[in-house]
């Protein structure tokens, strides 16, 4: 129910903004003409490198592959009442992609309006950087009551995904750790009690991150999380299609991929998630998650072929044949 309210608030806020703000500024033509050319396209890569072109492409690919592997994404699928519900929701997902495009337009509108140079917003930009651009746009354009609606949409829009994430993390711990290793005979009431406690701990931990870490770390933590979560792609996706993949080989591939991705991020002092590889003298910067999961898949496939040739099929394959 809260998610429905969140979606309605966000859609009302953004759709109102992309209609009213262009009218206020004189149309989209003036908005786009006010945006510097350097902000409309990716910069030209330097000689001998693909530069930001490969970085952007691999970040988009890696983020898309990792998105549906997160526990909070799977929670919605596994808790659906039927296959029809999953299909219906999947058909509606493009609406959210369109909304992200509208949100990007708000950034162009903020540039066209020049909110960053307005003295009344100087403190906000000093404290929050460019993240303050959209709030400043609403403050400068709309009456106070609608600004309140917009800010409420932002707040609820952050709280709903956070609550789903904490629930998913709590369920993952309860089912896969607490019940699997500590209390295999736990009752449903105990499972619920432990899950609620862990969910509360996760929320408290999130608050520590918010108040104790610099704000700019948020994106980097998201990208670093993508490096780790994408390593289960061969096991939970490819393993369903390619039955020859060996469980031990998948585990070794996961270990190699996780270690390699973490090492790439460590070389960037965990302040970035892109790593440049050189192929025939051409530097190809890219998302470490993509490079590491490719190595993960290669290791899993090669070792599966070796294990299969040696006659070691593993417990999963033996159980399948039985």
């Amino acid at each position: 129910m809260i998610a429905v309210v969140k979606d309605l608030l966000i859609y009302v806020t953004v759709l109102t903004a992309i209609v009213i703000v262009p009218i206020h500024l004189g149309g989209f033509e003036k908005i786009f003409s006010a945006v510097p050319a350097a902000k409309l396209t990716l910069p030209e890569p330097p000689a001998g490198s693909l530069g930001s072109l490969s970085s952007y492409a691999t970040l988009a690919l890696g983020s898309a592959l990792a998105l549906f592997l997160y526990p909070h994404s799977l929670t919605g699928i596994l808790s659906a009442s039927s296959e029809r519900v999953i299909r219906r929701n999947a058909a509606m997902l493009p609406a959210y992609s369109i909304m992200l495009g509208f949100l990007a337009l708000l950034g162009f509108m903020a540039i066209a309006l020049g909110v960053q140079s307005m003295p009344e917003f100087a403190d906000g930009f000093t404290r929050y950087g460019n993240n303050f651009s959209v709030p400043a746009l609403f403050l400068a354009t709309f009456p106070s009551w609608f600004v309140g609606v917009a800010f409420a949409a932002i707040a609820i829009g952050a709280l709903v995904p956070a609550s789903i994430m904490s629930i998913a993390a709590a369920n993952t711990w309860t089912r896969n750790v607490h019940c699997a290793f500590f209390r295999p005979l736990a009752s449903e009431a105990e499972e619920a009690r432990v899950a609620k406690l862990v969910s509360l701990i996760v929320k408290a931990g999130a608050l520590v991150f918010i108040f104790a870490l610099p704000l700019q770390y948020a994106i980097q933590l998201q990208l670093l999380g993508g490096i780790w979560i994408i390593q289960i792609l061969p096991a939970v996706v490819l393993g369903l299609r390619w039955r020859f993949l060996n469980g031990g080989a998948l585990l070794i591939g996961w270990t190699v991929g996780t270690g390699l991705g973490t090492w790439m991020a460590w070389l960037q002092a965990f302040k970035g998630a892109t790593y440049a590889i050189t192929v025939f003298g051409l530097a190809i910067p890219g998302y470490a998650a993509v490079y590491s999961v490719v190595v993960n898949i290669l290791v899993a496939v090669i070792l599966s072929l070796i294990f299969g040739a040696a006659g070691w099929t593993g417990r999963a394959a033996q159980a399948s044949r039985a």
Side-chain angles (χ1 to χ4, degrees):
M1 292 296 294
I2 296 176
V4 172
V5 173
K6 179 263 295 184
D7 286 349
L8 289 175
L9 279 173
I10 291 178
Y11 270 96
V12 168
T13 299
V14 175
L15 292 177
T16 301
I18 65 171
V19 172
I20 300 300
V21 177
I23 293 175
H24 177 73
L25 294 176
F28 280 102
E29 181 181 358
K30 290 189 176 180
I31 292 174
F32 287 117
S33 62
V35 179
K39 293 185 179 294
L40 294 175
T41 59
L42 294 172
E44 189 74 19
S49 174
L50 293 182
S52 58
L53 300 181
S54 59
S55 296
Y56 181 85
T58 53
L59 281 167
L61 175 63
S63 298
L65 291 176
L67 176 61
F68 293 101
L69 298 172
Y70 283 101
H72 64 274
S73 296
L74 292 178
T75 295
I77 296 175
L78 297 177
S79 63
S81 59
S82 67
E83 179 183 352
R84 180 175 175 273
V85 172
I86 298 175
R87 292 181 180 274
R88 182 189 64 201
N89 289 350
M92 295 174 61
L93 284 177
Y96 291 89
S97 298
I98 294 173
M99 183 57 59
L100 291 176
F102 289 159
L103 287 172
L105 288 178
L106 296 184
F108 287 167
M109 295 174 190
I111 294 175
L113 189 60
V115 294
Q116 197 165 14
S117 61
M118 295 181 179
E120 61 267 34
F121 302 133
D123 181 63
F125 280 102
T126 300
R127 297 173 61 185
Y128 305 110
N130 290 334
N131 291 321
F132 192 68
S133 297
V134 172
L137 173 69
F138 281 98
L139 288 168
T141 308
F142 292 99
S144 58
W145 67 267
F146 188 80
V147 173
V149 172
F151 287 2
I154 294 173
I156 297 177
L159 290 175
V160 171
S163 64
I164 297 174
M165 292 178 191
S166 66
I167 292 171
N171 288 338
T172 300
W173 168 269
T174 303
R175 291 293 178 87
N176 297 334
V177 179
H178 179 78
C179 294
F181 297 102
F182 300 114
R183 297 278 293 176
L185 300 179
S187 64
E188 292 183 357
E190 181 180 345
E191 286 187 33
R193 184 170 62 254
V194 172
K196 291 176 182 178
L197 177 61
V198 174
S199 178
L200 181 61
I201 293 173
V202 171
K203 292 182 178 70
L207 290 176
V208 172
F209 272 84
I210 291 172
F211 292 109
L213 295 181
L215 191 62
Q216 62 267 26
Y217 284 7
I219 297 298
Q220 300 305 335
L221 287 171
Q222 171 70 19
L223 295 175
L224 186 60
I227 294 175
W228 292 333
I229 200 68
I230 201 174
Q231 303 308 325
I232 67 173
L233 177 71
V236 303
V237 177
L238 300 183
L240 295 176
R241 175 67 61 178
W242 298 346
R243 300 305 298 270
F244 77 90
L245 289 174
N246 180 279
L250 288 168
L251 180 59
I252 295 173
W254 171 84
T255 304
V256 172
T258 301
L260 179 62
T262 303
W263 176 73
M264 290 178 176
W266 177 75
L267 291 179
Q268 311 301 320
F270 295 104
K271 294 181 179 180
T274 56
Y275 182 84
I277 62 174
T278 303
V279 179
F280 300 115
L282 177 66
I284 308 177
Y287 189 15
V290 173
Y291 291 150
S292 56
V293 80
V294 169
V295 174
N296 180 346
I297 294 172
L298 290 175
V299 170
V301 171
I302 292 172
L303 289 181
S304 293
L305 293 174
I306 293 174
F307 293 162
W312 184 46
T313 55
R315 294 181 181 178
Q318 292 172 5
S320 176
R321 287 200 301 268

